[in-house]
């Protein structure tokens, strides 16, 4: 049995789809899976024991990436094609069954929308996989010792990136009593935007992992943290998948759709709702200026401590 699973190009959306993929693998344990996803997320699927092949989709002009995927999949008879991008691919490759996600703005978590492609009304929490080598590498980078606070201070849109200096204040407050270490995650091209954070943290307790490890190893590192605090991003969903207490910071994105999902997750925002921000007369979706200035440091610290109190 062969299943083609077509998922998102963005890391966060790809991570959210992993729960549905794991559900399919449990439902069809004899199946061999091919996963097509955006190139940045490809390494997240490679370690899954049931995934036979990962096809990185590199965006090309005139939908050339879809033609490339068609060429790589048309020669196989698929038992099932699951297309979470709502494309026409499932209708032009040979398959016994197809499941294509339809767009919806119904106000419920994105996980429910993804499951609707299979006509299921259930949210499957994200789950990621690691190789023994990745776990060993994470242990070297984050050895056992004092607690580790993981920070995700970046985002794919400047408007939903909380100020770096406020992350520093939160980190210092949360680690003041336990001599905790602070691990900072992000891509190398995001380093400049969080330089103020790195400069404000105590060097002996700071673990700078920005741009230094591949995405799958990032997940292995997150498993070793005691708490994650970060913007609405792919890293936030990876932290939730790692099973650690995860606090997501929200502004011009919806926690209803994209809040971190799991029993040890929480979200926080300032006094303005998503609708207040995005329906304001001066709202500009093209702006890279932070739209989260009303989220106070004290609010985030209190939310983080409350999350830790209820975590096992």
């Amino acid at each position: 049995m062969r299943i083609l699973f077509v998922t998102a190009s963005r890391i966060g959306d790809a991570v959210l789809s992993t729960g549905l993929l794991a559900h399919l693998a449990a439902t069809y344990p004899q199946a061999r899976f091919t996963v097509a996803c955006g190139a940045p997320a490809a390494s997240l699927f490679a370690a899954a024991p049931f995934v036979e092949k990962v096809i990185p989709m590199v965006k090309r002009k005139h939908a050339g990436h879809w033609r490339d995927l068609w060429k790589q999949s048309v020669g196989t008879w698929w038992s099932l094609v699951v297309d979470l991008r709502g494309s026409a691919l499932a209708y032009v490759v040979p398959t016994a069954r197809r499941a294509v996600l339809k767009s919806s703005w119904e106000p419920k978590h994105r996980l429910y929308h993804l499951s609707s492609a299979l006509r299921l009304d259930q949210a499957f929490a994200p789950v990621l996989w690691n190789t023994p080598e990745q776990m060993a590498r994470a242990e070297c980078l984050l050895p056992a010792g004092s607690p580790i606070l993981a920070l995700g201070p970046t985002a794919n849109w400047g408007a939903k990136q909380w100020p770096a200096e406020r992350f520093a204040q939160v980190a210092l407050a949360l680690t003041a009593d336990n001599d905790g270490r602070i691990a900072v995650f992000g891509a190398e091209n995001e380093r400049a935007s969080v330089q103020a954070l790195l400069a404000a943290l105590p060097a002996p307790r700071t673990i700078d992992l920005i741009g230094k490890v591949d995405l799958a190893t990032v997940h292995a590192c997150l498993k070793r943290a005691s708490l994650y605090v970060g913007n609405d991003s792919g890293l936030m969903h990876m932290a939730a998948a790692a099973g650690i207490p995860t606090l997501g910071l929200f502004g011009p994105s919806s926690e209803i759709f994209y809040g971190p999902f799991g029993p040890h997750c929480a979200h926080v925002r300032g006094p303005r709702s998503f609708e207040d921000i995005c329906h304001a007369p001066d709202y500009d979706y093209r702006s890279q200026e932070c739209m989260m200035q009303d989220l106070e440091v004290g609010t985030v610290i209190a939310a983080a401590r409350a999350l830790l109190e209820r975590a096992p």
Side-chain angles (χ1 to χ4, degrees):
M1 185 176 185
R2 293 183 178 275
I3 296 177
L4 175 62
F5 188 84
V6 183
T7 186
S9 57
R10 290 183 177 178
I11 293 170
D13 288 310
V15 172
L16 286 174
S17 73
T18 57
L20 186 61
L21 176 61
H23 166 74
L24 284 168
T27 303
Y28 305 107
Q30 77 281 20
R32 289 179 288 177
F33 286 77
T34 294
V35 176
C37 62
S43 67
L44 295 177
F45 296 94
F50 49 84
V51 171
E52 183 179 61
K53 182 180 181 181
V54 179
I55 301 176
M57 296 179 67
V58 180
K59 189 173 179 61
R60 296 177 55 197
K61 292 182 178 180
H62 310 299
H65 48 294
W66 286 108
R67 288 194 297 273
D68 291 343
L69 179 56
W70 176 79
K71 290 176 182 177
Q72 294 183 69
S73 55
V74 71
T76 299
W77 173 260
W78 302 100
S79 305
L80 171 64
V81 175
V82 179
D83 181 3
L84 299 181
R85 296 179 65 169
S87 74
L89 180 78
Y91 299 95
V92 294
V93 296
T95 181
R97 180 185 168 207
R98 61 182 62 87
V100 181
L101 182 66
K102 296 181 180 179
S103 298
S104 171
W105 288 103
E106 186 177 354
K108 57 185 180 181
H109 200 280
R110 178 66 176 169
L111 294 175
Y112 287 99
H113 291 282
L114 295 176
S115 296
S116 70
L118 294 174
R119 299 186 180 181
L120 299 173
D121 187 21
Q122 182 177 351
F124 296 99
V127 54
L128 292 172
W129 308 267
N130 286 113
T131 64
E133 293 77 15
Q134 290 162 355
M135 296 298 292
R137 173 65 172 152
E139 187 174 0
C140 290
L141 293 168
L142 302 176
S146 56
I148 297 171
L149 168 64
L151 297 181
T154 65
N156 64 352
W157 178 28
K160 61 177 186 177
Q161 185 165 310
W162 203 46
E165 58 273 15
R166 297 194 192 183
F167 270 104
Q169 295 176 55
V170 168
L172 293 173
L174 293 177
T175 60
D177 297 332
N178 58 18
D179 201 32
R181 292 166 290 170
I182 305 164
V184 186
F185 295 85
E188 183 58 40
N189 62 3
E190 298 170 323
R191 178 175 293 276
S193 69
V194 295
Q195 194 58 47
L197 164 63
L198 295 172
L201 296 178
R205 294 195 289 119
T206 301
I207 305 170
D208 178 2
L209 294 177
I210 296 178
K212 296 182 179 179
V213 288
D214 65 275
L215 208 56
T217 304
V218 166
H219 174 251
C221 289
L222 288 169
K223 288 181 178 180
R224 303 183 62 80
S226 306
L227 171 67
Y228 176 89
V229 178
N231 300 312
D232 172 23
S233 70
L235 279 171
M236 178 192 72
H237 295 301
M238 290 174 63
I244 62 173
T246 299
L247 180 65
L249 314 186
F250 281 77
S253 59
S254 172
E255 66 274 26
I256 295 175
F257 286 96
Y258 289 108
F261 192 90
H264 312 306
C265 296
H267 59 265
V268 65
R269 63 163 54 251
R272 294 183 301 164
S273 69
F274 166 66
E275 290 78 14
D276 290 338
I277 295 172
C278 294
H279 294 166
D282 60 347
Y283 172 74
D284 182 359
Y285 70 91
R286 298 164 298 183
S287 173
Q288 293 295 325
E289 295 297 319
C290 175
M291 298 183 186
M292 301 169 62
Q293 296 288 352
D294 59 342
L295 177 55
E296 301 291 342
V297 169
T299 303
V300 174
I301 293 173
R305 287 176 173 159
L307 176 59
L308 284 174
E309 285 179 2
R310 66 178 176 87

